[in-house]
Amino acid sequence: MKNRERAACTRANLVQAAARHFDRHGYEGTTLNSVCAEANVTLGALTFHFRSKAALASAVVEEGIVELERLSTADSATGRPLGDLSSLALRVATALQTAVLTRAAVRLVEEGHVRSDWPGAFRAEVLRLLEEASLAGELAADVRPATAAHLIMYVMEGVAAQSRRAATEGGSTVADIAEVWRAVLGGLAPRTP
């Protein structure tokens, strides 16, 4: 293996090991030594690639958010805004449930250790879909799109936290999240007599 390929493998291994630690222990609970031990590299190898824990955390967020950005911009326009919103929320929930890089990235951003535009972009897409749903009569008359957007962001924060717990302790699945999502939609949609 060439030096460049070896360096790329070492870097990727470090990012994955760091993601697992940041996901389980957060920024404060993760040490560079614990990441090195899990990645089976020396501290010198880590600092060759990342000057600090903050730089390592930034790399985890950069790589973890890529998947969320792709999911958030995936074209799923069906002409049913609440259906499109459901699809978006469940795609993101699935990524949080199944991808340690994504969970770690979201945790680092939520904790305020790394900045990312993704939460704002996701919220803007949620609000856009809710405004379309309102115009299409898919929202109950007493549900404001901005209020519903807050609710959905709270639900997604809960999904992220539950996904972290499930990754270490077992527990909820994407099916559970889908059931919660149906309950949320039941509160947003107009009531039929």
Side-chain angles (χ1 to χ4, degrees):
M1 185 183 297
K2 297 178 184 173
N3 286 343
R4 188 174 294 156
E5 291 170 348
R6 190 173 308 124
C9 281
T10 299
R11 185 185 189 288
N13 187 26
L14 284 165
V15 169
Q16 283 292 326
R20 286 188 293 274
H21 277 270
F22 289 134
D23 180 42
R24 283 191 303 260
H25 309 292
Y27 186 86
E28 298 300 329
T30 297
T31 66
L32 293 181
N33 286 331
S34 64
V35 172
C36 289
E38 182 156 335
N40 199 28
V41 300
T42 65
L43 189 57
L46 185 145
T47 57
F48 173 80
H49 292 281
F50 304 100
R51 290 185 160 179
S52 64
K53 183 163 79 167
L56 183 57
S58 291
V60 168
V61 170
E62 184 178 306
E63 292 188 29
I65 294 296
V66 166
E67 177 68 5
L68 290 174
E69 288 173 341
R70 185 186 68 73
L71 292 171
S72 296
T73 59
D75 187 22
S76 63
T78 64
R80 294 179 15 258
L82 280 185
D84 294 343
L85 178 59
S86 293
S87 177
L88 171 62
L90 292 175
R91 286 192 313 265
V92 170
T94 300
L96 289 168
Q97 190 82 36
T98 60
V100 69
L101 261 173
T102 301
R103 279 193 313 276
V106 168
R107 181 173 186 168
L108 289 166
V109 170
E110 284 177 352
E111 289 178 351
H113 297 290
V114 180
R115 298 183 124 221
S116 171
D117 293 336
W118 183 79
F122 178 70
R123 186 182 190 292
E125 180 64 7
V126 166
L127 183 58
R128 181 188 72 76
L129 289 167
L130 287 164
E131 287 171 345
E132 285 183 16
S134 182
L135 290 172
E138 290 187 12
L139 286 184
D142 61 342
V143 175
R144 292 186 12 227
T147 302
H150 287 304
L151 171 65
I152 290 165
M153 296 307 289
Y154 297 147
V155 167
M156 296 310 288
E157 285 178 24
V159 166
Q162 180 57 33
S163 295
R164 278 192 295 278
R165 280 190 297 278
T168 58
E169 303 167 6
S172 78
T173 64
V174 173
D176 296 329
I177 294 165
E179 187 175 342
V180 168
W181 184 254
R182 284 190 296 278
V184 168
L185 281 182
L188 298 177
R191 284 81 171 150
T192 53

